[in-house]
Amino acid sequence: MNIGIDIVKISRFENKDIHFIKRVLTEKELLVYNNLLEEKKAQYLASRWASKEAIYKANHDEHYLSYSILNKDNGEPYADGHEEIKISISHDGEYAVASVLIC
């Protein structure tokens, strides 16, 4: 069992260019991102970055940016195709934090 955690300042993810966004988000995540209100985009991008960084810290997978972090209908985040990865994401004010448990 491995754990990872990451915290980021949401404002660091405001006004990012499309090259950066496409590097961080998978196609599935990009579909969600493009349908968000403009004021929610930085928070979404920050939380996906934090989730993927936490995954890397837990398993040292060099392909950590290829993981799709999606949400179930009830809002619970999950790593698409990776049932062994449990994710928790939280936002408070200026920060987003993600913790990962790999079973």
Side-chain angles (χ1 to χ4, degrees):
M1 188 175 322
N2 296 318
I3 60 170
I5 190 166
D6 195 62
I7 185 169
V8 295
K9 194 167 187 177
I10 295 169
S11 62
R12 288 182 43 216
F13 295 86
E14 294 173 354
N15 305 313
K16 290 294 187 183
D17 64 35
I18 193 66
H19 176 73
F20 177 83
I21 294 165
K22 286 185 175 182
R23 187 169 66 88
V24 172
L25 300 180
T26 65
E27 288 184 26
K28 291 179 181 180
E29 293 167 324
L30 199 53
L31 289 173
V32 174
Y33 177 85
N34 286 333
N35 287 308
L36 291 172
L37 296 173
E38 199 61 38
E39 59 268 15
K40 294 291 186 181
K41 288 184 175 184
Q43 183 183 62
Y44 182 83
L45 187 58
S47 67
R48 271 36 191 188
W49 178 267
S51 297
K52 293 174 187 199
E53 286 286 311
I55 289 170
Y56 179 77
K57 290 172 181 177
N59 69 7
H60 301 286
D61 182 349
E62 293 178 6
H63 304 287
Y64 67 105
L65 292 177
S66 68
Y67 289 73
S68 289
I69 311 303
L70 305 174
N71 293 87
K72 296 179 181 178
D73 290 339
N74 67 0
E76 178 185 345
Y78 68 97
D80 190 37
H82 295 276
E83 295 294 320
E84 75 281 9
I85 298 176
K86 307 301 179 201
I87 301 173
S88 180
I89 300 172
S90 187
H91 316 94
D92 187 20
E94 300 178 32
Y95 296 94
V97 63
S99 59
V100 166
L101 175 66
I102 300 179
C103 304

